[in-house]
Amino acid sequence: MGCIQIPRGIKICLIVTAILIAALAVVVLVLSLTILKPKQPKISTKSVTLEYIKWVPFPFHLNVTLGIVVSVDNPNYGSFKYDNSTAYITYRGVAAADAPIEHDTIPARGSHEISTTVVVIVDSLTSSPYFWADFTSGCMNFTSSTTLHGKATVFKFLKKKVTTYSTCDLSVYIQAQNVISVCHSKVKY
């Protein structure tokens, strides 16, 4: 018995098919490592306004209402649809307020603004040993943290669960009635 001879046309077809599959694998690998590689969104506080402040010295009572607008720039080629969430505000590790964030979608390679209002009732924070020193200095430092759970979608059929974490350091200047903030974010896929 001899070896089975494969016709030359089939050999060429198999070689061309193998080359095409290898080229397709290289293209998919390059795309997944470059264009489709998830990138960190850029989260920046567009504005934090002191909408309302009420201070009664005796008996001590202080309420602060902050209007927060956060801009999220999505550099990815996929949109991000997130669920309802909550933003938490803390003062030196003590819970000071929370605010709801409604579900929405951030478009691919687009920008999106998230706005909310936070009412901080400072009365419960007076037990902190730092409160009176911060209050009399005219600057109170808060931290906001938000976690958004959702799905990133690329080409309308590739879907992946994504969680974004954002923290902002907020300095509330009582006399000037303004706020300065610095935000940081990260994404977990």
Side-chain angles (χ1 to χ4, degrees):
M1 286 199 117
C3 293
I4 298 175
Q5 291 290 331
I6 299 176
R8 185 168 192 237
I10 294 177
K11 283 182 184 179
I12 293 173
C13 183
L14 290 173
I15 291 171
V16 168
T17 302
I19 291 172
L20 287 176
I21 290 173
L24 183 62
V26 168
V27 167
V28 168
L29 179 66
V30 168
L31 284 176
S32 66
L33 292 176
T34 58
I35 293 176
L36 300 178
K37 181 180 178 185
K39 299 171 188 79
Q40 298 288 352
K42 294 174 182 78
I43 300 176
S44 58
T45 304
K46 211 165 185 190
S47 69
V48 178
T49 56
L50 193 57
E51 293 184 356
Y52 177 77
I53 187 167
K54 181 181 179 185
W55 175 36
V56 178
F58 299 106
F60 183 80
H61 181 74
L62 177 65
N63 284 359
V64 177
T65 302
L66 301 173
I68 301 173
V69 178
V70 176
S71 177
V72 181
D73 292 320
N74 182 6
N76 295 298
Y77 285 90
S79 62
F80 176 59
K81 183 177 182 178
Y82 58 89
D83 302 328
N84 289 335
S85 187
T86 304
Y88 297 97
I89 308 290
T90 58
Y91 169 73
R92 297 194 181 253
V94 177
D98 56 39
I101 297 175
E102 291 189 27
H103 67 281
D104 209 342
T105 301
I106 301 172
R109 300 192 56 80
S111 184
H112 183 72
E113 290 185 357
I114 301 170
S115 61
T116 190
T117 302
V118 178
V119 177
V120 180
I121 301 174
V122 183
D123 300 354
S124 61
L125 306 178
T126 58
S127 61
S128 169
Y130 306 103
F131 178 80
W132 291 108
D134 290 345
F135 183 74
T136 55
S137 75
C139 178
M140 297 191 67
N141 295 308
F142 294 90
T143 302
S144 73
S145 60
T146 307
T147 302
L148 298 176
H149 299 281
K151 287 185 181 178
T153 306
V154 180
F155 302 131
K156 295 188 180 184
F157 65 89
L158 295 173
K159 296 182 180 184
K160 190 171 190 177
K161 288 185 179 183
V162 176
T163 303
T164 65
Y165 304 94
S166 172
T167 58
C168 295
D169 296 319
L170 308 169
S171 296
V172 177
Y173 293 94
I174 298 167
Q175 295 297 325
Q177 294 194 358
N178 68 357
V179 178
I180 295 176
S181 64
V182 177
C183 296
H184 306 282
S185 66
K186 68 178 181 174
V187 177
K188 182 179 178 185
Y189 292 90

